[in-house]
Amino acid sequence: MPGQFVILRLHAKGERIPISLADIDPVGGTISLIVMAVGKTTTEMSVMKEGEDILDLCGPLGNGTHIEKVNKVILVGGGFGVAPLYPIARAFKAVGSEVVCVMGARSKDLLIYEKEMEDVCSKVLVSTDDGSKGMKGVVTEALRQELEKGGTGLVVTVGPAIMMKFVSETTRPFGVKTVVSLNPIMVDGTGMCGGCRVTVAGKTQFACTDGPEFDGHQVDWDILMTRQKTFTPEQRVSFDNWKQRHTGVLCE
Ligand SMILES: Cc1cc2nc3c(=O)[nH]c(=O)nc-3n(C[C@H](O)[C@H](O)[C@H](O)COP(=O)(O)OP(=O)(O)OC[C@H]3O[C@@H](n4cnc5c(N)ncnc54)[C@H](O)[C@@H]3O)c2cc1C
Ligand code: FES
């Protein structure tokens, strides 16, 4: 279902990482994943060659996006977050909603799924931090302008936590329901390790089994962003060690 994710492990010594479904073809039996190389495992994936195998992949995990007809839904994606919004856009369009997409990235080279979104959405608004394409600045300005036109029944956002926090702050004064897809550190993805716990409306929730989507106006963003940094020193050491072992494999 749109909104769900998988957890994969590249090889027997690999860590488990969660990745959202960027496209689903139940007839063909395929899924698409879009991965942004930010650390050891995602970089290791990015240098894999066509035809190489991923050792195991567990899913679908989490709950699918609640799809029902709304007058106008605005989907706000940042970075890799635009990809999981694509099947969500198709599902909202299929039930007769008008779908508007606001997508942002640091620069135009990092924009993805623009053409795909244009095929599904009535409008695609692009913003880049450096102004290399579309509106210069962050996605919230384009979102605010679209909200001011009225008629929006729902906002769904996927991307970095800081972006989803400010998207939620932007929609709050308009009273528009805002669904966010949370991305805490995950291990098992089945509600057993507690690694993905988040605080929503003052209650502890597990993003893997209760989410990953929650009401953005009720999320404790500070706790989420603090917990995301729990293993930063270990992640850096692990990535540095991997880079030393693979000098020459990396393009940069
Ligand atoms: C439900 C869910 C769906 C996701 N979907 C996608 C997706 O479709 N495509 C994609 O590229 N990534 C996705 N992510 C994020 C992805 O899982 C992380 O980027 C990945 O685990 C990083 O692993 P690494 O070993 O490469 O880097 P690490 O060394 O583990 O981390 C490198 C850097 O990335 C940050 N990071 C680590 N984990 C996360 C995280 N969960 N969210 C945000 N930043 C993180 C770290 O703080 C650190 O700064 C998703 C995360 C969740 C929880
Ligand atoms: S990832 Fe372990 S409880 Fe959610």
Side-chain angles (χ1 to χ4, degrees):
M1 300 289 292
Q4 290 187 296
F5 64 96
V6 295
I7 287 192
L8 58 84
R9 195 169 54 130
L10 296 184
H11 46 75
K13 290 191 173 170
E15 67 170 345
R16 299 158 60 87
I17 64 161
I19 301 292
S20 306
L21 300 180
D23 210 349
I24 309 146
D25 178 2
V27 179
T30 61
I31 57 169
S32 303
L33 308 176
I34 302 278
V35 178
M36 188 168 188
V38 292
K40 180 186 144 195
T41 303
T42 48
T43 305
E44 205 171 356
M45 281 185 88
S46 74
V47 296
M48 284 176 77
K49 307 253 179 331
E50 189 176 344
E52 283 186 63
D53 292 324
I54 289 171
L55 178 65
D56 49 49
L57 184 140
C58 170
L61 297 168
N63 303 293
T65 308
H66 177 72
I67 306 289
E68 68 177 328
K69 186 176 174 187
V70 279
N71 187 25
K72 177 167 90 175
V73 54
I74 306 180
L75 306 180
V76 186
F80 77 80
V82 178
L85 284 173
Y86 176 52
I88 295 175
R90 280 201 317 221
F92 272 111
K93 189 181 178 187
V95 296
S97 306
E98 183 197 349
V99 187
V100 172
C101 176
V102 179
M103 61 164 75
R106 285 198 304 277
S107 75
K108 71 171 188 269
D109 303 335
L110 294 171
L111 286 167
I112 54 167
Y113 270 43
E114 201 180 337
K115 169 80 180 63
E116 286 83 349
M117 281 303 203
E118 277 167 0
D119 289 344
V120 181
C121 302
S122 63
K123 200 188 304 177
V124 175
L125 303 167
V126 174
S127 68
T128 48
D129 295 0
D130 63 3
S132 51
K133 184 150 192 199
M135 192 183 279
K136 185 176 191 305
V138 287
V139 286
T140 44
E141 195 39 50
L143 170 64
R144 189 188 325 276
Q145 289 179 13
E146 194 58 33
L147 287 167
E148 278 165 357
K149 292 180 183 154
T152 304
L154 178 69
V155 168
V156 182
T157 179
V158 188
I162 188 77
M163 183 205 85
M164 294 191 287
K165 172 183 173 174
F166 283 106
V167 164
S168 303
E169 289 311 318
T170 304
T171 57
R172 198 189 294 275
F174 291 90
V176 174
K177 184 178 171 191
T178 302
V179 172
V180 298
S181 180
L182 297 188
N183 49 7
I185 287 168
M186 291 187 178
V187 184
D188 62 299
T190 58
M192 288 190 284
C193 72
C196 69
R197 74 176 183 275
V198 290
T199 306
V200 183
K203 290 199 191 112
T204 295
Q205 304 267 301
F206 288 167
C208 65
T209 47
D210 299 319
E213 295 184 350
F214 294 97
D215 177 351
H217 297 148
Q218 307 268 0
V219 171
D220 188 323
W221 295 100
D222 293 339
I223 291 182
L224 173 71
M225 287 188 274
T226 303
R227 283 181 56 77
Q228 277 181 335
K229 294 188 197 120
T230 311
F231 301 108
T232 301
E234 289 85 355
Q235 285 165 338
R236 199 168 294 136
V237 170
S238 162
F239 192 22
D240 286 347
N241 289 344
W242 183 86
K243 279 193 277 194
Q244 273 176 12
R245 289 198 305 274
H246 292 80
T247 312
V249 178
L250 275 174
C251 308
E252 55 177 31

